Amino acid sequence: MTRKIIIDTDPGIDDAMAIFFAFQAKELDVLGLTTTYGNVPVDIATKNALILTEIAGVDVPVVGGVSIPSVIAPRPFPDFVHGADGFGNIDYPAPTKTASDQTAAEFIVEQVRKYPGEVTIVALAPLGNLAKALELDPEIANLVDEVVLMGGTAVEYGNVSPVAEANIINDPHAADKVFGAPWQVTMVGLDVTHQVLLDNTILERIKAQNPEQGNFLYDCAQFYIKFYSDRFGVEGCYFHDASTIAYLLDPSIFGIELGAIRVACEGIALGQTIFAPQGMEYPEPHWDGVPMTQVCMEVDGERMLKLFEDVMVAV
């Protein structure tokens, strides 16, 4: 039985890896892609999502969503990481398809209501669309199977500030709502994604076996890999967004801890995902009554990269 998912995304090179991974996985049924700002403006994210569906030959709806954070001022787009086009400045041709007329929040609510208890939301971007869906229909929190998000960090350093990860700091108020809602959230954050490095050797093997998607990913990834090489001195790129798909396919790859998460919404710690482990008691009340999040803290990187490659080259 396939697992129904909605991918909320801001493509983004690592988003492209995750989306192709999900499209290729026979165990997953992608109901649609909802888009938001983050790596690029929302209009470019929507265009890029359409491009990815066309490359993969998959007919799923693409639905545009929020364009700015819910409270704070927008941050600059990280074109030094993903390129101005989100795909490493490869100047890929425009898509021929067009996006849905719905909003992302409307689409999420519609699909969750259509398949109660069956839909997993895979969030690869700032969490404004999920927060909007909760505002539109709070009851969906009881109808979603699981929210699996790439974002945040419990003990690892941040990648935008010493304590904050990019997706969360882009809309901390929305993130705090998502972590506080009564649905099951699984956080695949920097604690695990900084442990796994995807290099050109794997991308070249995928390209040889799956040229359509593999050539695109290889071409995009060169800009991304150069960023990580220049900044961290590594030969590859961290395996961020696609780790969520690996979790869906084989959660045994990860070691998980439970705890309540609140997000700092102001000050020097803006965007920090502050993790209160299950069973710990504090005199500060901010975590009281907050649902338990599953936080991925350990990962078998070799198994995860093998899973990615095996799925990407499967016929």
Side-chain angles (χ1 to χ4, degrees), residues 92-226:
Y92 199 84
T96 58
K97 297 179 181 178
T98 56
S100 164
D101 291 333
Q102 280 183 297
T103 68
E106 290 169 344
F107 179 80
I108 290 169
V109 169
E110 175 191 81
Q111 295 300 308
V112 170
R113 286 286 180 183
K114 184 177 180 181
Y115 303 108
E118 296 184 43
V119 177
T120 294
I121 301 173
V122 181
L124 312 177
L127 295 169
N129 285 336
L130 277 66
K132 287 282 187 189
L134 286 170
E135 290 175 17
L136 196 61
D137 186 352
E139 180 63 20
I140 66 163
N142 299 312
L143 302 175
V144 165
D145 180 26
E146 187 176 3
V147 174
V148 180
L149 64 89
M150 191 281 128
T153 178
V155 298
E156 172 71 356
Y157 293 118
N159 59 4
V160 175
S161 81
V163 296
E165 182 275 333
N167 286 336
I168 305 300
I169 200 173
N170 263 298
D171 196 340
H173 298 81
D176 198 45
K177 289 179 182 177
V178 169
F179 283 113
W183 48 19
Q184 178 60 64
V185 177
T186 299
M187 185 176 96
V188 185
L190 302 182
D191 302 286
V192 288
T193 65
H194 275 176
Q195 297 183 44
V196 184
L197 205 62
L198 176 71
D199 63 25
N200 272 330
T201 304
I202 294 172
L203 291 170
E204 285 164 357
R205 291 200 296 263
I206 293 171
K207 182 170 68 166
Q209 297 291 318
N210 179 354
E212 193 74 23
Q213 296 173 54
N215 275 301
F216 179 84
L217 287 182
Y218 181 87
D219 291 347
C220 288
Q222 299 318 299
F223 189 97
Y224 199 47
I225 288 171
K226 185 177 187 308

Side-chain angles (χ1 to χ4, degrees), residues 49-97:
L50 289 164
I51 287 171
L52 295 174
T53 65
E54 291 185 359
I55 293 172
V58 174
D59 185 20
V60 301
V62 172
V63 191
V66 300
S67 60
I68 56 172
S70 52
V71 177
I72 64 171
R75 299 182 60 81
F77 297 107
D79 55 4
F80 55 93
V81 181
H82 295 271
D85 67 350
F87 288 154
N89 294 332
I90 62 171
D91 196 28
Y92 199 84
T96 58
K97 297 179 181 178

